[in-house]
């Protein structure tokens, strides 16, 4: 059996990829939770994080020399923080420049959607013009050796860095949303923005903070994705579409659903390679989404952000 023979060899890369999908998907689901908006420009927030991490690590790492020890940790953290920071900046500007004026004018939802697509096209074409249209590898930040084997499958440093970082960020976010005043504000706005406003919640500030949180996660994911593959001005398109699918799969508007959907989508994608050509990966991912939605239209967890606490 193709699946059972190579299960563990494909499971580890699947969890790695799924962790990245989950980080991106959280950005989609957070914004949908508070605005009921599909922010298609979030894929470019992810791309921004990739380029920010690339430029920072290029400035730090000596060409042809692989850092080790404390240097590796320092450079990786610098790239991660840089990616997260610039991702948050772009997400914040998107909210202030593109979406807030629409809210003031009480624009129809269709206008939001068209604006999101327009912002996405503008940002990735701007990146192509400014940074070039060739794929660029992030400098090697550590020796990507085998740390241990799991039922015969090799687990490498890079996979542990990506999975560990993604899990830490998701646990932190879950704590912020469910145990802090900021999280209470986000959940209140997601559940009923008008009532939250009457109770003294600053709606505009909460929405801006929600975009920034999504941008932090998306930008960090962009840097991690760049270390896993490469950086490219269109790097956000396909992962962004799949992360959106993952958010829908888990239950759009539900943070834990986005995490679950991202991990499941990555694992299914990777395991499918054991039985068929890699050219079918994208087809398999979306077939799974369609099948799940046929039997559970609200996704696997099926809750909105405000009702998930």
């Amino acid at each position: 059996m193709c699946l059972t023979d190579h299960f563990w060899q494909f499971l580890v890369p699947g969890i790695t990829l799924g962790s990245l999908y989950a980080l991106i998907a959280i950005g989609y689901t957070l914004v949908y939770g508070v605005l009921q908006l599909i922010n298609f420009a979030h894929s470019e927030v992810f791309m921004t994080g990739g380029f920010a991490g690339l430029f920072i690590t290029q400035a730090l790492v000596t060409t042809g020399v692989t850092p080790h020890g404390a240097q590796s940790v320092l450079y990786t953290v610098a790239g991660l923080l840089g990616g997260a920071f610039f991702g948050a900046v772009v997400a914040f500007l998107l909210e202030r420049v593109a979406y807030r004026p629409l809210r003031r004018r009480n624009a129809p939802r269709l206008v939001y959607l068209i604006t999101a697509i327009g912002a996405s096209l503008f940002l990735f074409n701007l990146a192509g013009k400014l940074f070039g249209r060739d794929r660029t590898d992030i400098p090697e930040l550590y020796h990507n050796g085998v740390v241990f084997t799991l039922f015969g499958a090799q687990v490498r440093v890079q996979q542990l860095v990506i999975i560990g970082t993604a899990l830490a960020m998701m646990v932190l976010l879950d704590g912020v949303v469910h145990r802090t005043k900021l999280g209470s504000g986000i959940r209140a706005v997601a559940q009923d923005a008008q009532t939250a406003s009457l109770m003294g919640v600053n709606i505009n500030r909460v929405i801006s903070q929600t975009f920034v949180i999504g941008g932090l996660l998306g930008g960090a994911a962009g840097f991690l994705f760049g270390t896993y593959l490469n950086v490219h001005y269109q790097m956000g398109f396909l992962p962004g579409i799949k992360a959106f699918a993952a958010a829908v799969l888990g239950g759009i508007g539900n943070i834990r659903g986005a995490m679950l959907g991202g991990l499941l989508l990555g694992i299914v994608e990777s395991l499918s390679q054991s039985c068929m050509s890699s050219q079918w990966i994208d087809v398999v991912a979306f077939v799974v989404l369609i099948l799940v939605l046929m039997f559970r239209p609200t996704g696997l967890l099926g809750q909105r952000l405000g009702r998930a606490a």
Side-chain angles (χ1 to χ4, degrees):
M1 292 289 292
C2 57
L3 184 61
T4 54
D5 288 347
H6 305 286
F7 179 80
W8 293 102
Q9 284 85 350
F10 285 97
L11 179 65
V12 177
I15 295 174
T16 307
L17 194 59
S19 300
L20 295 172
Y21 288 158
L23 283 181
I24 312 168
I26 289 170
Y28 283 106
T29 216
L30 276 171
V31 171
Y32 183 84
V34 296
L35 280 181
Q36 284 76 58
L37 161 70
I38 306 300
N39 179 23
F40 283 110
H42 188 62
S43 55
E44 275 51 63
V45 172
F46 167 80
M47 176 266 295
T48 301
F51 273 108
L54 168 69
F55 296 142
I56 289 171
T57 51
Q58 280 181 337
L60 294 173
V61 178
T62 305
T63 306
V65 178
T66 303
H68 57 83
Q71 273 191 332
S72 293
V73 176
L74 180 64
Y75 295 166
T76 303
V77 171
L80 186 69
L81 293 178
F85 173 76
F86 282 98
V89 169
V90 171
F92 175 78
L93 291 175
L94 272 172
E95 193 278 328
R96 293 300 294 267
V97 175
Y99 301 131
R100 186 171 294 192
L102 298 181
R103 289 208 313 279
R104 286 177 179 157
R105 293 172 174 79
N106 199 24
R109 295 294 169 195
L110 181 61
V111 177
Y112 281 84
L113 186 63
I114 294 170
T115 302
I117 294 172
S120 174
L121 291 171
F122 168 76
L123 286 173
F124 86 71
N125 279 297
L126 180 65
K129 177 69 176 174
L130 294 177
F131 308 137
R133 300 178 187 274
D134 297 326
R135 297 182 183 277
T136 309
D137 293 326
I138 286 181
E140 196 171 3
L141 300 173
Y142 42 77
H143 177 61
N144 189 26
V146 177
V147 181
F148 60 87
T149 58
L150 181 67
F151 299 103
Q154 294 181 340
V155 180
R156 295 184 174 275
V157 174
Q158 187 181 53
Q159 292 167 327
L160 289 178
V161 168
I162 292 174
I163 294 170
T165 305
L167 287 178
M169 295 182 77
M170 287 189 279
V171 170
L172 180 63
L173 174 70
D174 195 70
V176 167
V177 170
H178 292 93
R179 294 185 179 84
T180 67
K181 186 178 178 181
L182 169 61
S184 298
I186 293 173
R187 285 184 285 121
V189 173
Q191 191 160 9
D192 189 331
Q194 190 172 10
T195 303
S197 177
L198 293 173
M199 297 295 288
V201 176
N202 187 327
I203 304 295
N204 285 330
R205 187 170 65 188
V206 168
I207 290 173
S208 284
Q209 290 168 337
T210 303
F211 269 81
V212 168
I213 292 172
L216 284 169
L217 297 176
F223 168 69
L224 293 172
F225 188 87
T227 62
Y228 196 53
L229 294 173
N230 50 52
V231 176
H232 184 238
Y233 79 107
Q234 288 183 321
M235 64 181 281
F237 179 72
L238 196 53
I241 293 291
K242 289 183 180 179
F244 172 64
V248 175
L249 181 65
I252 188 74
N254 186 313
I255 293 175
R256 291 172 182 170
M259 299 175 188
L260 177 64
L263 286 170
L264 281 178
L265 196 65
I267 291 171
V268 168
E269 258 194 37
S270 185
L271 290 178
S272 67
Q273 294 182 66
S274 62
C275 296
M276 58 184 70
S277 166
S278 59
Q279 295 175 340
W280 288 90
I281 291 177
D282 298 336
V283 176
V284 170
F286 290 107
V287 165
V288 170
L289 173 67
I290 292 168
L291 289 176
V292 170
L293 293 183
M294 283 176 63
F295 297 99
R296 194 168 175 81
T298 56
L300 294 173
L301 299 188
Q303 292 176 314
R304 285 183 51 191
L305 182 62
R307 296 167 186 162

